[in-house]
Amino acid sequence: MESLLAILIGVLFASAIYMILRRGIIKLIIGLAFLAHACNLLIFTIATTVRGKAPLIEEGEKHITEGVADPLPQALVLTAIVIGFGVMAFAIVLIQQVYQTLGVGDVVELKENDTPINKISNNDNNED
Amino acid sequence: MNALLIAPILFPLILGLLTIAFWKYRNIQRIINLIGSFVFLIIGFLLLKEVLSEGIQSFQSGSWIAPYGITIIADTFSAIMVFITSFMALIISIYSISSMGNVTLICAKMLRKRRQFSYYPLLNIMYMGICGAFLTGDLFNMYVWFEVLLISSFILLAMDGTKEQLAATFKYVTINLVSSAFFLIGIGFVYGMTGTLNLADLAVKIPELENQALVTLVSVFFLICFGIKAAVFPLFFWLPASYHTPPISIAAIFAGMLTKVGVYSLIRVFTLLFVQDVGYTHNILLWIAGFTMLVGVLGAASHFDMRRILAFHSISQIGYMIAGLALYTPLAIAGAIFFMIHHTLVKGNLFLVAGLVNKVKGNYDIRNIGGIANAYPFLAVLFLIPALSLAGIPPLSGFWAKFFIVKPGLETGEYIMVATALFVGLITLYSMIKIWTYAFWSKDPGVIKESIIKQRVFSKENVFMTIPIICLIIAMLATAFYPEPFFQIAQKASNELINTTDYVNAVLGGNAK
């Protein structure tokens, strides 16, 4: 199971990097989503995976019996998923705004929009 | 004392919620925020006082015994950083009274205005995240606080929704998501190796591991993650691409505090956790520091927009702090901490002065403005003092900050680093003189319409922009002429960082190995 997950994580990281390096901003966001999933799966796998056994202490025992998955990283992953979901939602709204305001869907074109600093603005808008 | 420890995290949250409650009433928001910032400063001061007199304070949330629950811990270093955060919060909240408020063109700016209602809530939530990151004693919890401060900084950066801001925010969001991914990977590996994420517990368990090479490898994940946040040499490109776009008060708090969170985390993990192979990791850090200083200052020398120059200088100055960490002697780390205090005051100040320059001249590009020294001599003085301090002219605070980095550098024989640091100081001076000659001494080239330049420095609303600048200058002069108490505190913090037993004992109780 772990080796299978390890391969999956590797594939996810590879595709995440590939997608992040592409030009389209939607593809970039998809890449970032893959990256987050790969990290979550990595933490999940590090905790070892055991099927069908709850990490509960048997009655009368003091310690957990061997052969269960560590539950703490799963809790961490849950937290990371929720945070990642929020950030991803923001990122998607952001690229929608970028597309509407700048009319570009491409990081190379986006770059041309960040240097209007030398233009002289002759209105009060510039007063912050 | 638990209440005082948790207060710097809870209080900004309460303040944020209160300002949300008065969503549509800007004036009430401002008043709440101003009073709240005073209280926040008092909390920061009390915490620092408590830590200085009573030693490291820690608190287990939910009363879970040490390595299992989330630890909130304040050592001197954390307390200093929380205090500076609260100080900057007050400064920014005074400055914001005039700078964010008076959008004069009503109709076309309705959208802009509506967006700015979220300014105070977001700012306070960001302070919560910053203080949380400073005070937490748990690696995963630190990740959560990072996300809290990041998501609010994303929105603050994009708040006006202009083209430049959106383009800048897009880059900032992307790079920070990648950095968070590195942080998570690092956390995953650390947990896999040790089975704990409590910083103090890790400090005990990491040296006991057999595979120290793996520890060094994992430390690089943290180096990359915090390096991106701190904007160090190969990872800084997002900073000059984004810090020149937001309103100046936001840029000031970003340049003053946000990169410091990255530096704080770097210093924390590379003094507490990853110190087994100092010859390797801290040597990397030293090279990074040298290149960060050099590349940052060369970038600054090549630009003409005041905000871009200042943003590049932030990078360059981060290099000095990393150098202090990399030298890894008590004096050097104390120097790095002193440098952080100095830089927050000076860089925040210079950004605020840039905002004032923009207010009276209508532009940030120093080629388009001029003659400020004649028209507004007081403003010129306000710029000159922090500018000379940034360049490190004695007896201003920048001189002491650089001195405490250079001296241990000479003691440990890192002559190349020392030479770089001094050379960079020279170019810093050059680029400050460049701003001075173009914007303050030369004649106004007259490209900006006269209607823009109608306000005086001491018109009623500008008083609120000048007061915080003067406050910062006074604080900076205090660190310059009486550096001893500040440096003693920094030295105390650095001793606590080097001798980790106090930190470990404060969390795990006396029974730590």
Side-chain angles (χ1 to χ4, degrees), chain B residues 29 64 75 133 145 244 251 328 350 388 396 419 427 429 457 475 510-511:
Chain B
Q29 274 192 337
W64 288 71
D75 64 351
W145 290 122
H244 63 285
Y328 198 60
L350 282 171
L388 290 180
L396 296 168
I427 307 191
L429 184 62
V457 177
N511 53 6

Side-chain angles (χ1 to χ4, degrees), chain A residues 25 28 39 46 70 72-73 76 83 87 90 95 101-102 110 114 116-118 120 122 125-128, chain B residues 102 112 140 147 154 163-164 166 170-171 174 177 188 191-192 197 244 248 358 362 365 367-368 448-449:
Chain A
I25 53 176
L28 194 150
C39 295
I46 277 172
D70 187 347
L72 183 80
L76 298 184
I83 293 173
V87 175
F90 174 78
I95 59 167
T101 315
L102 304 169
L110 188 70
D114 82 329
I117 49 163
N118 293 336
I120 299 155
N122 270 327
N125 195 4
N126 203 9
E127 70 171 25
D128 40 34
Chain B
N102 52 57
R112 186 182 145 100
F140 192 80
E147 294 299 308
F154 292 162
K163 284 185 175 186
E164 307 93 271
L166 284 172
F170 185 71
K171 290 171 208 162
T174 310
L177 288 183
Y191 188 84
L197 287 172
H244 63 285
I248 205 75
N358 180 49
D365 194 313
R367 286 170 300 191
N368 296 333
I448 314 284
K449 262 196 238 159

Side-chain angles (χ1 to χ4, degrees), chain A residues 54-68:
Chain A
L56 297 173
I57 299 171
E58 301 285 328
E59 204 177 337
E61 303 258 347
K62 286 217 163 172
H63 298 284
I64 212 155
T65 41
E66 286 303 304
V68 293

